[in-house]
Amino acid sequence: MKIVLQRAKDAEVKVKNETVGKIGQGFMLLVGVTHDDDEQDADYLAEKVANLRVFEDEDDKMNLSLLDVGGEVLSISQFTLYGDCRKGRRPNFMAAAKPDHAQPLYDYFNQKLRDKGISVQTGEFGAMMDVAFTNVGPVTLILESKS
């Protein structure tokens, strides 16, 4: 699994001009799944997302986690994270998992975050979505479950 994590002041996702998910302070996540990912990958990344210390403490040091600040998550399924652009001019998406594998794992990942007490909003899996957010810092990190 691969996640692009962006620290956000706020974030919102719309499907067909209707808001389906909205958060305040927290993380805006783009979540991609590849063929050999499993629940261990999702468990690892849920733990990483919940406990990654990228929020400032009283000394302006990145020392607090999402759990520490009571932050929320907007999680967006994003198969294009596995787009290979090394050859030609069009991305190759062969490394992205098919929906019958990706969606259950994506849902499992989001539930693991909820099980930690984190409020998680999502878009609509497979839909065309409009995502808007305010990146604070900016802080953007790429997390992967496999080395």
Side-chain angles (χ1 to χ4, degrees):
M1 288 180 75
K2 186 182 297 189
I3 294 176
V4 175
L5 175 151
Q6 297 182 294
R7 192 175 67 177
K9 183 185 331 183
D10 52 56
E12 179 179 18
V13 59
K14 293 182 179 184
V15 176
K16 297 179 183 172
N17 292 321
E18 181 179 325
T19 298
V20 296
K22 187 174 184 175
I23 66 163
Q25 177 186 13
F27 292 147
M28 210 294 292
L29 305 178
L30 302 176
V31 182
V33 177
T34 192
H35 306 291
D36 62 347
D37 288 335
D38 58 25
E39 289 182 353
Q40 284 183 314
D41 295 288
D43 291 341
Y44 170 81
L45 286 174
E47 186 70 22
K48 184 66 77 174
V49 167
N51 293 292
L52 197 62
R53 298 184 321 174
V54 296
F55 293 94
E56 281 83 10
D57 62 15
E58 62 278 350
D59 297 322
D60 286 331
K61 301 281 187 219
M62 287 171 63
N63 207 24
L64 300 175
S65 71
L66 187 68
L67 291 170
D68 293 331
V69 300
E72 302 174 283
V73 166
L74 179 62
S75 175
I76 306 296
S77 62
Q78 188 72 46
F79 79 93
T80 62
L81 291 181
Y82 281 101
D84 184 350
C85 299
R86 292 177 292 181
K87 293 183 181 179
R89 296 185 179 183
R90 287 182 43 191
N92 176 326
F93 296 108
M94 296 300 294
K98 301 284 185 215
D100 63 334
H101 177 69
Q103 185 167 8
L105 199 53
Y106 169 72
D107 292 340
Y108 176 86
F109 166 76
N110 292 325
Q111 187 56 51
K112 294 304 280 190
L113 290 175
R114 290 182 183 109
D115 291 348
K116 296 176 183 307
I118 298 168
S119 172
V120 178
Q121 299 288 309
T122 65
E124 184 180 314
F125 190 93
M128 182 63 75
M129 295 176 271
D130 296 329
V131 180
F133 67 102
T134 306
N135 188 328
V136 179
V139 173
T140 301
L141 300 167
I142 298 172
L143 309 176
E144 295 187 73
S145 60
K146 295 188 175 40
S147 57

